[in-house]
Amino acid sequence: MRLHILTIPVRSLLIFCCFLACLNFTSCKDSAETKENSTEVSTNTTSYNSETSTDTISKTILFFGDSLTAGYGLEDPDDAFPDLIQDKIDSLDLDYQIINAGLSGETTAGGKSRLEWVLEPDVAIFILELGANDGLRGVSVAETRENLQWMIHKVKAEVPQAQIVLAGMQLPPNLGTEYTQDFKAIFPKLAEENDIKLIPFLLENVGGIASLNQNDGIHPTPKGHKIVANNVWSVLKPLLNK
């Protein structure tokens, strides 16, 4: 057999090699076209899935607040009460996704400036947790109230379908009886006037209790955040639906 191959005329051998080269080129071309078609099908499938998946996008709950919402001082940010509420939502297989827009040191004036940047058109529930830093800085009650009202109006105008929840806040008595009472009254009055939900006092059963707060006496520990999460959950849960 080997001898027979060696005796093939050179011209025939050249023709045979040309045939193999053409065959190889055609094969590569077909392979490239197949790959291109495969890629196109894959791309179309991805686009289709993307379009059809919009029906299953989770509804958004936006927590807009200060260091209490942000989980200031916690080693694990997942210990902050908004994340703990996400765990409760997931355990009930509810179709909601929480966005934590807490910012340490935020005041109501700062919230006015920042709100437009974080407010999304698909927000289903908006939880407003601001005012504590105003009180600690001695900002006038009238100014704090005005800023909170502005944000409530903004949410109603920009995201009319959103349910709004206002987190009530109280101040330590050392800031003066009149000021602390007027400050406390801001939140229930705003909730009533705007027909929105109210968390009477965000830090109920946590504020002023040393064992549930960090060394600064202001920000809750992980255990304290669990109690805060329950305070919020009692108002939030009735607003959720499958």
Side-chain angles (χ1 to χ4, degrees):
M1 179 65 72
R2 174 182 292 179
L3 181 59
H4 177 71
I5 293 175
L6 289 175
T7 57
I8 295 176
V10 173
R11 187 169 183 273
S12 299
L13 182 60
L14 289 175
I15 293 173
F16 180 72
C17 290
C18 289
F19 171 77
L20 288 179
C22 292
L23 183 63
N24 184 57
F25 173 79
T26 303
S27 175
C28 291
K29 182 179 180 181
D30 291 342
S31 176
E33 289 177 352
T34 301
K35 183 177 181 181
E36 182 179 351
N37 291 337
S38 175
T39 303
E40 185 176 338
V41 170
S42 176
T43 302
N44 291 338
T45 302
T46 302
S47 176
Y48 173 78
N49 290 337
S50 176
E51 291 174 0
T52 56
S53 65
T54 55
D55 294 336
T56 60
I57 293 177
S58 298
K59 295 180 282 292
T60 299
I61 301 175
L62 177 61
F63 280 82
F64 188 68
D66 51 34
S67 56
L68 296 174
T69 293
Y72 174 85
L74 298 176
E75 292 185 6
D76 186 352
D78 290 344
D79 288 333
F81 73 86
D83 293 88
L84 299 179
I85 291 175
Q86 181 71 71
D87 292 340
K88 293 177 182 289
I89 288 173
D90 293 343
S91 69
L92 295 174
D93 197 28
L94 297 174
D95 192 26
Y96 288 88
Q97 182 66 43
I98 283 176
I99 295 177
N100 187 335
L103 179 65
S104 293
E106 187 74 293
T107 61
T108 57
K112 283 181 61 177
S113 301
R114 187 167 62 99
L115 180 58
E116 188 172 359
W117 293 96
V118 301
L119 192 59
E120 297 292 337
D122 62 346
V123 171
I125 300 175
F126 179 86
I127 300 179
L128 179 57
E129 181 275 302
L130 284 175
N133 286 317
D134 289 43
L136 294 176
R137 297 179 186 187
V139 175
S140 72
V141 170
E143 181 180 341
T144 298
R145 188 185 190 285
E146 181 182 344
N147 291 338
L148 289 171
Q149 181 63 74
W150 185 94
M151 286 183 275
I152 292 170
H153 278 153
K154 181 70 171 178
V155 174
K156 285 189 171 186
E158 298 292 332
V159 195
Q161 81 281 359
Q163 300 184 79
I164 302 175
V165 179
L166 180 63
M169 185 53 60
Q170 298 177 24
L171 298 173
N174 63 305
L175 294 176
T177 302
E178 182 179 357
Y179 182 75
T180 55
Q181 288 180 347
D182 289 347
F183 180 88
K184 177 181 176 181
I186 292 174
F187 303 92
K189 286 182 179 179
L190 282 175
E192 181 180 1
E193 292 170 1
N194 292 279
D195 191 25
I196 60 177
K197 301 299 181 181
L198 174 71
I199 302 166
F201 179 32
L202 181 71
L203 299 178
E204 185 72 39
N205 299 319
V206 176
I209 301 176
S211 61
L212 297 175
N213 288 276
Q214 300 173 42
N215 292 334
D216 60 14
I218 297 175
H219 297 94
T221 61
K223 187 176 180 180
H225 270 277
K226 290 181 180 179
I227 298 174
V228 174
N230 289 333
N231 295 338
V232 176
W233 185 245
S234 63
V235 177
L236 178 61
K237 185 178 179 181
L239 304 180
L240 306 179
N241 54 72
K242 291 199 173 185

